[in-house]
Amino acid sequence: MEIGKIGVIGAGRMGQALISGLTASLVSPADVIVFDVDKSKLADLTKLKVKIAESSQAVVTSSDIILLAVKPQAIDKVLAEIKTLVSEKQVVVSIAAGITLTHLSAALKTKKIFRVMPNNPSLVGAGMAAISGLGKEKSDNAVVTKIFEAVGAVVFVEEKMMDAVTGLSGSGPAFVYLFIRSLIAAGKKLGLDEKTAKALALQTVAGSVAVLQKTKIEPTKLIDMVKSPGGTTIEGLKVLEEGKFQEMVVAAVAAASRRSQELSQ
C-alpha cells in the first residue's frame, strides 16, 4: 500500500511520537514534512531527517495526507490558515481532542476527514488509537489505520463514542501512572528502597496486563484467583472497596469525557 507524502502540523509530544513511529516503520523521512510555530520543537526533529516547512500552508501544498497534531485551542487558527488549500484528493486527520468531524469538514470544505484519539504510550510504539471518519473509501481507512498502527493498536468507533474514548484511553494512561506511583510510594513507606519498589510495581502492572491479554480471563475472575479467604490480598481489597476505588476511577474517566464534550462546544 502506498502511503504517499505525510504533512504534520504540530510537533508537540504526540506529533513527535507519530513522526518517530512513521519514519521508523512506514515511510521515508523524506516523505514527511512538518511545521510548528515553536521552532524549538522542530529542532528536536532534525535527527529524524524529516523535511521542515516554513508554514502550515507549505505543509498542505506538499502532502497527500495532512495530520493536524495541534491542541484543540489552536485548531481554528490552523484551519483558517489552510482552508483554501485543502483538496478533495487529500486525507485530513485530526488528533485535536473534542473537535468534531462536522466542525473540521465545515471549515475545510472536504469530507475526507478522520478524527483520531491516540494516547501517551504511542511514545514507545505501544499506543491505542480510536478512529472515526467521514470518508467511506476503504483505501482511506486503510491508510489511516496504517499510520496509527505504526505507533500501536487501532480501533474504529462511531464519532459519538469519541468523548468516552478520550476519557478512557486518552486520559487513562495518567490514571495508570498515578496508580503505579502510588504502589511505589507504598513500597517505600514499608521500607523498600525506591529502585526495588519501582521494579516491583512496574513488573506487577506489566505482568497483570499480560495475563489479561494472553488468557482472556475476565478481571473479576483473576481477582478471585489472587485473593483467598483470610489472606493478604483480601485485606488490601477491603481498603480499596471502602475507599470506593472503582467508583473513583469511573468518576475520573467520566470527568475527562465531560471535558472532551466541553471542548467540542
Side-chain angles (χ1 to χ4, degrees), residues 10 17 20 35 39 63 75 105 108 125 132 143 154 157 163 195 214 228 230 234 254 265:
S20 180
F35 171 74
K39 303 300 181 184
S63 307
I75 192 72
S105 181
L108 299 179
S132 60
V143 166
V154 167
V157 299
D163 293 324
K195 182 178 179 181
K214 293 180 180 180
S228 56
I234 201 164
Q265 304 304 314

Side-chain angles (χ1 to χ4, degrees), residues 39-107:
K39 303 300 181 184
S40 65
K41 292 178 181 177
L42 295 173
D44 294 336
L45 294 171
T46 54
K47 60 182 179 296
L48 296 179
K49 299 181 179 180
V50 298
K51 293 180 179 179
I52 302 300
E54 292 297 320
S55 66
S56 58
Q57 294 93 333
V59 169
V60 173
T61 56
S62 303
S63 307
D64 300 303
I65 300 160
I66 303 160
L67 179 58
L68 305 177
V70 298
K71 294 184 181 300
Q73 296 86 345
I75 192 72
D76 283 334
K77 180 178 184 295
V78 172
L79 294 176
E81 291 172 351
I82 67 174
K83 65 182 181 181
T84 61
L85 301 173
V86 177
S87 76
E88 282 287 350
K89 292 183 179 180
Q90 294 171 304
V91 174
V92 179
V93 181
S94 169
I95 65 170
I99 306 303
T100 67
L101 291 168
T102 299
H103 185 96
L104 295 164
S105 181

Side-chain angles (χ1 to χ4, degrees), residues 236-249:
L237 287 171
K238 285 179 183 177
V239 174
L240 292 177
E241 289 166 0
E242 288 168 1
K244 300 187 182 299
F245 177 74
Q246 181 168 308
E247 288 89 338
M248 290 292 288
V249 172

Side-chain angles (χ1 to χ4, degrees), residues 126-138:
M128 182 73 247
I131 303 171
S132 60
L134 286 180
K136 301 300 182 183
E137 295 182 34
K138 290 183 179 180

Side-chain angles (χ1 to χ4, degrees), residues 1-3 6 18 21-22 25-27 65 131 138-154 156:
M1 177 193 305
E2 185 176 347
I3 300 298
I6 301 175
L18 292 169
L22 289 169
S25 62
L26 192 62
V27 296
I65 300 160
I131 303 171
K138 290 183 179 180
S139 59
D140 292 339
N141 291 345
V143 166
V144 177
T145 298
K146 277 287 185 184
I147 288 173
F148 287 91
E149 282 182 340
V151 291
V154 167
F156 273 81

Side-chain angles (χ1 to χ4, degrees), residues 187-259:
K188 290 169 64 178
K189 186 175 182 178
L190 293 171
L192 293 168
D193 62 85
E194 183 165 2
K195 182 178 179 181
T196 301
K198 186 174 182 180
L200 289 166
L202 290 179
Q203 187 54 39
T204 296
V205 173
S208 300
V209 172
V211 171
L212 282 164
Q213 291 178 327
K214 293 180 180 180
T215 67
K216 309 300 182 185
I217 299 173
E218 290 300 313
T220 299
K221 290 185 178 180
L222 288 169
I223 292 170
D224 290 338
M225 287 170 62
V226 178
K227 73 180 185 182
S228 56
T232 60
T233 303
I234 201 164
E235 288 302 306
L237 287 171
K238 285 179 183 177
V239 174
L240 292 177
E241 289 166 0
E242 288 168 1
K244 300 187 182 299
F245 177 74
Q246 181 168 308
E247 288 89 338
M248 290 292 288
V249 172
V250 172
V253 172
S257 178
R258 283 195 302 273
R259 181 55 181 157

Side-chain angles (χ1 to χ4, degrees), residues 150-204:
V151 291
V154 167
V155 294
F156 273 81
V157 299
E158 294 182 48
E159 188 183 17
K160 65 182 181 181
M161 292 291 101
M162 287 300 279
D163 293 324
V165 167
T166 300
L168 179 54
S169 67
S171 300
F175 309 150
V176 175
Y177 300 149
L178 176 59
F179 177 65
I180 293 171
R181 190 180 76 182
S182 301
L183 287 177
I184 295 170
K188 290 169 64 178
K189 186 175 182 178
L190 293 171
L192 293 168
D193 62 85
E194 183 165 2
K195 182 178 179 181
T196 301
K198 186 174 182 180
L200 289 166
L202 290 179
Q203 187 54 39
T204 296

